[in-house]
Amino acid sequence: MDERAFIERFRREGVLRRHPGAYPPPSYEATWQRFGRMLSAVGGTFVGPVDRAAMVAATSEAIARAGGRCVASVSAAPLLDGIGGWSVAHDGGSRPHALADVELGILTAECAVAENAAVLLSARSLPERALAFLAQHLLVLIPVGSLIADLVTAQAGLSVPLPHHLTWMSGPSKTADIEQTLVIGAHGSRSLTVIAY
């Protein structure tokens, strides 16, 4: 079809059609099993749902395995009471270069999405946003009741005004831009573990 015929057809038919409106969100099961499968598919690790004692044990084990500096976000610090081997990222918001040598970053997420295993990090849960990108490995702690079925519903539930920054993170950082070779950790963490407690 040539350009003129297309324009004429659009004038006849396109203008008269009403917009279908917003599409309904897709139907996904809101289960931690689906979240775990999706996270595994994108290179992450899922632990849970577990009780608080098991969450503490898994976090202690991750800190012991890290073999380097472990830093927790201010929002994660209360969950780590009684666990040693970590410090709080008090200066990470104003001095991100202070986080350049972090081996393990411990964060909390506001919600998790079963559809694509994304977790929401924002200025509310992570004022030290550099921690999510400079740490070599990430451990994300999230309450069991924070699971949402799909991203459309999760986005619709965001409070307005939006926080200063929002990040949806699903799995470790990865890219295949250069010579179609997959590189893990090129723009962020080399591993991501989510623990639902």
Side-chain angles (χ1 to χ4, degrees), residues 52 55 59 71-80 105-112 119-129 131-132 138-143 146 165 167 169 192-195 197:
R52 178 156 171 75
M55 182 271 288
T59 302
V71 175
S73 67
V74 172
S75 63
L79 299 171
L80 305 178
I106 305 169
L107 320 172
T108 59
E110 294 172 42
C111 70
V119 293
L120 175 63
L121 310 171
S122 82
R124 285 189 277 274
S125 59
L126 188 65
E128 328 78 351
R129 78 174 152 176
L131 181 59
L138 291 177
L139 178 65
V140 180
L141 307 174
I142 186 159
S146 302
H165 65 270
T167 301
M169 188 175 285
L192 180 129
T193 300
V194 175
I195 302 178
Y197 65 95

Side-chain angles (χ1 to χ4, degrees), residues 70-109:
C70 299
V71 175
S73 67
V74 172
S75 63
L79 299 171
L80 305 178
D81 189 37
I83 301 174
W86 59 276
S87 61
V88 179
H90 287 299
D91 58 354
S94 60
R95 296 181 46 230
H97 58 277
L99 302 170
D101 64 340
V102 174
E103 188 66 22
L104 176 67
I106 305 169
L107 320 172
T108 59

